[in-house]
Amino acid sequence: MNSIRRYLEFVKPYRWQIFATIIIGIIKFSIPLLLPMLIKYVVDDVLGNHGLTNSEKVNKLFLIMGLMIIIFVILRPPIEYYRQYYAQWTSNKILYDLRGILYKHIQKLSFKYYANSRAGEIISRIINDVEQTKTFVVTGLMNIWLDMATIVIAIIVMFSMNVRLTIVSILLFPLYAFSIKYFFGNLRKLTRNRSQALAGVQSYLHERVQGMAIIKSFAIEEHEQALFDKQNKNFLEKAIQHTSWNAKSFSAVNTITDIAPLLVIGYSAYLVIHGQLTLGTMVAFYAYIDKLYNPLRRLVNSSTTITQSFASMDRVFELLDEKYDVVDAPNATECRDVKGNISFKNVSFAYKEEDGMVLEEINLDVKHGETIALVGMSGGGKSTFVSLIPRFYDVTKGKITLDGTDIRQFKIQSLRDKIGVVFQDNILFSESVKENILLGKPDASDEEVYRAAKAASADDFIHELAEGYDTKVGERGVKLSGGQKQRIAIARVFLKNPPILILDEATSALDLESEHLIQESLNELAKDRTTFIVAHRLSTITHADRIVLIDHGQIAEVGTHDELMAKQGGYYKLFQVQQLETTKAEAK
């Protein structure tokens, strides 16, 4: 019930539209209720009225049919149109709002959440589950009330014609209500299991479609087919369990709703035989039974679909309830006038405390304009180190200050706005080259975009593309080489022009020629900015003001290239190994 209450908060802004839709719907559903009355009138007052001549009967028939044509042909179509239009408009607006809130929410979730979650699962909740909740609006908040109103109006009219026959007509209502409660009590759990299994299939497909090159390169299509069949079979089993229970409920409830007309036909015929009921009333009553039990059958369908929407609501709000690992402090301020003095003071960090510290007791003071290179063996904590500066993660112990202020005292967005990051594996979106560069500064002019691309040595290859800057790069930039993608990512940072730079293996995907070109551009960009460079090839960071060797999460050595080489410690050994590898490669 908590999910329903929370969902109603999204419905609340549209309550008047829903109310208007229900009123229009009641009018629309009331009009067909005239048909049984029409049948009774035609049978008893026209055809069965022996006091009228044939001419008078025809006149009465034409008069009543003319009135019905006006109601059904002229009045009913616009009523039907506006009921459908406002029902769909309102439900789609609610879904629009909900998806907007969800997208805003997932953008605030930390890297830690995405490291532990499957993209397909998240997408399934935002697309499939949100769409499923539409049923609650259209059916649960609109159609159910319309069906109930139809039932009430039909019962009132039936009571006005014959009380005893009406009681017989609704005799099975309690049994119907018990069946609904019994059968649909377990349906929510089964529906949730089915939705979870479907999300599993979608997540698996999402990962495999993205990694199709791996599947083909290792020729493991049959193995992958077997794994997919396992996921698909799990969904099939959950779907069949859901379908089986659903079928049982429909079988029982429809049996009950089919018995009622038989009771009415038998009893009303008995009354007609004994002269206690007119033939027209009997025919009208049978027609009203259809108007009475058709809405009941729809209510059974509604119970199923609404139960499915409840399960989807649970999954949607489960996602919305994911806590933010990194949040603004209550008194957080805007990050302005950044100079770039950054200090790590007794900083320790663990992704999970039970897994142990990734970084431990880090102390480092970085002055404005300094270039700091972070080196060391893979897995030593270099990328984690720089991820703490823009608060992709928060420190476990200690603090990081920017110009003397703890970075946790700044609003996250304003802090990140002052930092430019180039990752080792940069993601490009499927839009054009220009739109990908504009991510660095969405309101930049075309001229600014071109300057940034030239600074990143990307302008030449962009002009060689089929549509230049308007070329679509494909999902994750699949149409570009690794080096081309990296240069576009670097162009984004040039466009952003931030006071603090973080280059996490920024040139790792480039060939030596491209790396040389971009290295010069990066050196120019780094002037008068605080720059952190995570590097694997040590030859690219010998110019750094200071080099920090990180070993097993701790700072092992700090100094210039010359100082560390003279020291002949860990950095010296790494550099010697790389030089030896380079010499061997060149000899080949």
Side-chain angles (χ1 to χ4, degrees), residues 22-34:
I22 292 173
I23 297 300
I24 295 172
I26 289 174
I27 298 171
K28 180 258 180 183
F29 277 90
S30 297
I31 290 175
L33 293 177
L34 295 173

Side-chain angles (χ1 to χ4, degrees), residues 148-167:
M148 290 179 67
T150 302
I151 292 169
V152 170
I153 294 171
I155 289 174
I156 291 173
V157 174
M158 291 165 71
F159 264 118
S160 69
M161 291 194 295
N162 190 289
V163 174
R164 288 183 296 171
L165 198 53
T166 304
I167 292 173

Side-chain angles (χ1 to χ4, degrees), residues 481-493:
S481 69
Q484 289 172 332
K485 287 194 290 185
Q486 201 73 335
R487 276 181 275 178
I488 289 175
I490 292 169
R492 289 198 291 230
V493 179

